[in-house]
Amino acid sequence: MQLGFIGAGNMAQGIIDGLLNAEALTPGDIIIHGGHAANYEAYAQKTGVQVAANNSAVIAASDMVVLAVKPLMASDVIAEILPALQAKTTPLLSLLSGVSLLQIEGYLGTKNYPLVRVMPNLNVAINAGMTAYAANAAAQAVLPAVVKLLDALGETIELAEQHFSTFVALAGSSPAFVYMFIDALARAGVKHGLTKKQADKIAAQAVLGSGAMVLQSDESPFDLVDKVSSPGGTTVAGLLAMEAAGFMPSVVAGVDATIAKDQEEQD
Ligand SMILES: NC(=O)C1=CN([C@@H]2O[C@H](COP(=O)(O)OP(=O)(O)OC[C@H]3O[C@@H](n4cnc5c(N)ncnc54)[C@H](OP(=O)(O)O)[C@@H]3O)[C@@H](O)[C@H]2O)C=CC1
Ligand SMILES: O=C(O)[C@@H]1CCC=N1
């Protein structure tokens, strides 16, 4: 199976890294094209993936194509590749946040083109991603092959499109929020004398283990908070100080702003 990428930036490279790690595809199965060759030549050389001369050549060489450009470029790029798509009906996997299947069908001028909307997160690069997908009616026949590829990248969930903005906040963008939390935790450790390297490792492992515990335990995150908080102990002192500084409202405000931005892109 030949998989093409239109756009060769952070997310395209993350997906390719994950697929190669999992040996779901080989470098020879992957062909990419981006805006400026200088930005992805070194990546192509390092991984051995093929480089196409232009976006239409990606489609001509591919059995499926991932659209991995920025959302604002969607209509221009689809207009450019439309003749190549029409010539071959190559299923299109769109990573575009805030761009619905209906909008893409509008750019394509038909509802009969196989389209899958995919929202991954950057952790797909290490096969620990959380990816949502939604397919139009025309993509049902190719969906099992798409899901097989996505499953190689971590956890997947089929999700109604109406929930994609919320998913973007909780999984697409949230790695940045969690990296920021890890960095804040680690910096506080540096404030108290740890090296940044020590503190980054300690903080990241604590977050990794906590996520795994939530997934593996029958208890809710809140029940687990109670289990960590010894009466009169350190944890409850820390938690109350974090809450006084606005921990939960700031997380919810961040999620609300992410959802609002995603929905603004749809307007
Ligand atoms: N980053 C993330 O964690 C996630 C991103 N996404 C989605 O993935 C998509 C890509 O995001 P991301 O990878 O972060 O963005 P990047 O800016 O890293 O990548 C965008 C890519 O598109 C290329 N590009 C620009 N113009 C063209 C063109 N005319 N034809 C082909 N390629 C072009 C850019 O090339 P150049 O830079 O050389 O101009 C670059 O390779 C977005 O739609 C985003 O919503 C979804 C989930 C998570
Ligand atoms: O920041 C963005 O717009 C993209 C979508 C989800 C993660 N990154």
Side-chain angles (χ1 to χ4, degrees), residues 78-194:
I78 290 174
E80 177 201 330
I81 63 178
L82 195 53
L85 292 174
Q86 285 167 337
K88 202 156 163 266
T89 321
T90 310
L92 203 55
L93 279 53
S94 165
L95 305 184
L96 309 165
S97 76
V99 181
S100 67
L101 291 171
L102 195 65
Q103 278 171 291
I104 300 177
E105 287 169 350
Y107 300 144
L108 292 168
T110 174
K111 285 189 161 304
N112 296 326
Y113 201 93
L115 288 177
V116 185
R117 184 172 175 186
V118 176
M119 179 49 59
N121 68 18
L122 197 58
N123 298 332
V124 294
I126 58 162
N127 310 93
M130 181 70 238
T131 300
Y133 62 90
N136 70 355
Q140 293 307 314
V142 293
L143 195 55
V146 173
V147 173
K148 190 174 168 205
L149 274 185
L150 299 180
D151 280 345
L153 299 172
E155 293 293 324
T156 54
I157 182 172
E158 187 168 20
L159 197 65
E161 268 200 290
Q162 72 197 79
H163 296 306
F164 262 60
S165 294
T166 305
F167 183 88
V168 169
L170 263 61
S173 294
S174 74
F177 310 154
V178 176
Y179 304 148
M180 192 87 131
F181 176 72
I182 291 171
D183 188 68
L185 204 56
R187 267 174 216 286
V190 172
K191 179 182 172 195
H192 291 279
L194 296 177

Side-chain angles (χ1 to χ4, degrees), residues 37-56:
N39 290 338
Y40 58 90
E41 264 165 2
Y43 178 78
Q45 271 184 3
K46 186 183 81 179
T47 55
V49 301
Q50 306 169 70
V51 169
N54 54 54
N55 291 331
S56 298

